[in-house]
Amino acid sequence: MTERDVVSTTKPDASQLDPKRWLALVVIGVSQLMVILDATITNVAMPKAAEAIGLQPSDIQWMITAYALPFGALLLLGGRIADYVGRKKVLIIALSGFALASMLGGAAHAPWLLFAGRALQGVFGAMLAPAALSLITVTFQLEKERAKAFAVFGAIAGGGAAIGLLLGGFLTEYLSWRWCFFVNIPIAVPAAIAASRILRESKTSNRGHYDIPGALLATAGLAALVWGFTRPTAESGTVDPVTGQPELLGWGSIQTLGWLAAAVVLLVAFVLVERRSSNPLLPVRIVADRNRAGAYLVGMLVGAGMFAVFLFLTLYLQIYEQYSPMQTGLAFLPFSFGIVMGAGVGSQLVLKIGPRLVIAIGAALGLVGLLLFSRITLESTFAGTVLPAELIMAFGMGFIFMSTTNLALVGVSNDDAGVASAVVNTTQQIGGSLGTALLSTVAFTAVATYISDRAPSLTDPSGLPLLISEGTVHGYGIAFRWAAGLFALALVIALVLVKAKKDDLPAGAAVHMG
């Protein structure tokens, strides 16, 4: 989408305004809420789902990654398809497809079916999200009304994660984990019917070809990278004679190195294709600007750390703190509250000191929160360790989300505004999928090392279950330390790459929340 496709250069009169535009906002908002919900609603359900379908602990992370990877990798292509085919049409198709994907995931009786359902949700979500965002822009032609609509859209994005965690906990505890999927059906179907009757169709007049080679290379490269990150914890086919546990492939195995090498080749090929394409999926000029490059790298690193917290903290609370699914959902409320509060404070602070320092402060707070998370043990308490870590990290992330979204628009032309904004969301989702895979591998490798180092000294075999529990929580702590390292890198990137001043921010910076 380009600004010239959807924004009139003259102020429209009342007869040109869509009389159903506020009803349209409800439909668009519900559609966006469903996408946001599904990024978190299955988190709380993971232990129950894994138990029901025989999912191995090392593969639980695929419930997150299978959704985040196609969503992030196809988001830009989904936006391009919506622009050319028609935003209303694509929204209706995506809602219908999302409902079918949810039905498949909810009815899954084997891990591969569950992952297939999640992956299809990600594919249709990658079509739905940019179509919804574009429809707001074309539906609200008055600047003040558009600002209000985007504020509502931002509030949905900010609060949707919390609703997803709470709803996931409620459905898992009182109905079944499968309803974390089925619940999308009574949302998507009425929304699709309402969209067909309320929304106006719009599409770009600036036709061009789809960047299919770029989309295939990017998706294949990211998939190979994620798969390569998971290979070190794959079973090698041999068993440790002391612990009786399967031995792992490790980082030096041919499988691990081969997939990582393939990922590098595919992603380099993607860059070369984008440089030569007349209508690239990701214009190189977008990422060539140091401010936007900094925003995207920070978004990717922060996404990696955040998704890791959702995964490991969910497992820790339910398995070792014996929280019910509903209690787990409630335990994440402070995290969402902290993000909203941080975004509110950061939106004012960025206008006074600029995005560079706000992002750096946010990354520093996230680093402190993750270091606190890394101290969890079997004896840790929610009030003593988890709650302060949640609040500190989330407050910092509110700073980051708000600032990077606005930083991506610094100095961008009208024609590139849409793709520049979309890449922020894309990098966060890609970071989430890569970080979840990498940090899961780090955690389970640390667990295996911890157990193999201490098992030979056990004098009583009955102590092995406790050793495994201690080793698993130790592995979570190691993963949190690695995530803290990612936030430290984000802090350095913000200070080195970001040069934009407060006066460089686009008008209305305080409105854009993420």
Side-chain angles (χ1 to χ4, degrees), residues 83 94 132 220 223 234 262 287 336 342 364 370 375 387 465 474 499 512:
D83 288 343
V287 295
S336 299
L370 282 163
R375 300 179 62 183
L387 179 59
H474 167 77
K499 297 298 181 183
H512 300 285

Side-chain angles (χ1 to χ4, degrees), residues 133-406:
L133 187 62
S134 297
L135 281 165
I136 286 186
T137 306
V138 301
T139 301
F140 293 90
Q141 298 182 43
L142 296 178
E143 186 176 342
K144 289 184 178 180
E145 289 189 351
R146 190 180 298 132
K148 291 179 182 178
F150 274 121
V152 172
F153 198 81
I156 290 172
I163 297 173
L165 291 165
L166 285 174
L167 185 59
F170 176 84
L171 293 173
T172 302
E173 185 163 344
Y174 297 109
L175 292 175
S176 165
W177 65 269
R178 297 182 184 277
W179 274 96
C180 292
F181 288 88
F182 292 149
V183 71
N184 291 314
I185 299 171
I187 298 175
V189 173
I193 294 172
S196 67
R197 298 179 179 179
I198 295 173
L199 299 180
R200 287 181 175 179
E201 184 59 282
S202 70
K203 61 178 69 174
T204 180
S205 58
N206 182 24
R207 296 299 302 233
H209 68 276
Y210 295 117
D211 184 15
I212 300 299
L216 291 175
L217 287 169
T219 305
L222 291 169
L225 192 57
V226 170
W227 188 247
F229 283 158
T230 66
R231 291 302 79 202
T233 56
E235 296 180 5
S236 64
T238 59
V239 177
D240 188 304
V242 178
T243 65
Q245 299 293 314
E247 292 187 340
L248 308 179
L249 288 174
W251 286 100
S253 68
I254 294 177
Q255 277 198 45
T256 301
L257 296 177
W259 280 105
L260 293 179
V264 171
V265 171
L266 289 167
L267 292 175
V268 168
F270 167 72
V271 173
L272 295 176
V273 166
E274 296 306 280
R275 290 176 65 90
R276 290 171 171 79
S277 175
S278 60
N279 196 26
L281 189 66
L282 178 60
V284 176
R285 64 182 178 274
I286 294 294
V287 295
D289 178 84
R290 63 185 300 159
N291 289 306
R292 281 192 291 279
Y296 299 150
L297 289 172
V298 168
M300 183 177 293
L301 294 167
V302 166
M306 180 180 71
F307 277 71
V309 169
F310 285 164
L311 172 63
F312 297 120
L313 192 56
T314 296
L315 297 176
Y316 172 77
L317 291 175
Q318 290 197 45
I319 297 174
Y320 298 106
E321 293 295 324
Q322 296 295 301
Y323 277 33
S324 69
M326 190 65 195
Q327 287 175 317
T328 304
L330 290 170
F332 275 101
L333 263 184
F335 197 92
S336 299
F337 174 77
I339 289 180
V340 173
M341 291 296 295
V345 174
S347 65
Q348 300 304 314
L349 194 58
V350 75
L351 299 177
K352 297 179 179 179
I353 64 175
R356 179 171 178 261
L357 290 179
V358 172
I359 294 174
I361 294 170
L365 290 171
L367 169 61
V368 171
L370 282 163
L371 289 176
L372 289 176
F373 274 127
S374 72
R375 300 179 62 183
I376 60 170
T377 65
L378 291 175
E379 292 76 35
S380 297
T381 63
F382 179 81
T385 302
V386 176
L387 179 59
E390 277 192 80
L391 290 174
I392 294 171
M393 179 182 177
F395 195 78
M397 291 182 67
F399 276 31
I400 294 171
F401 287 156
M402 183 280 312
S403 300
T404 53
T405 301
N406 289 289

Side-chain angles (χ1 to χ4, degrees), residues 393-452:
M393 179 182 177
F395 195 78
M397 291 182 67
F399 276 31
I400 294 171
F401 287 156
M402 183 280 312
S403 300
T404 53
T405 301
N406 289 289
L407 187 62
L409 296 176
V410 171
V412 73
S413 67
N414 285 341
D415 285 354
D416 290 332
V419 68
S421 297
V423 175
V424 177
N425 198 354
T426 299
T427 52
Q428 289 173 2
Q429 293 293 328
I430 290 173
S433 59
L434 294 174
T436 301
L438 174 62
L439 296 176
S440 293
T441 296
V442 167
F444 287 108
T445 301
V447 172
T449 302
Y450 186 96
I451 294 173
S452 63

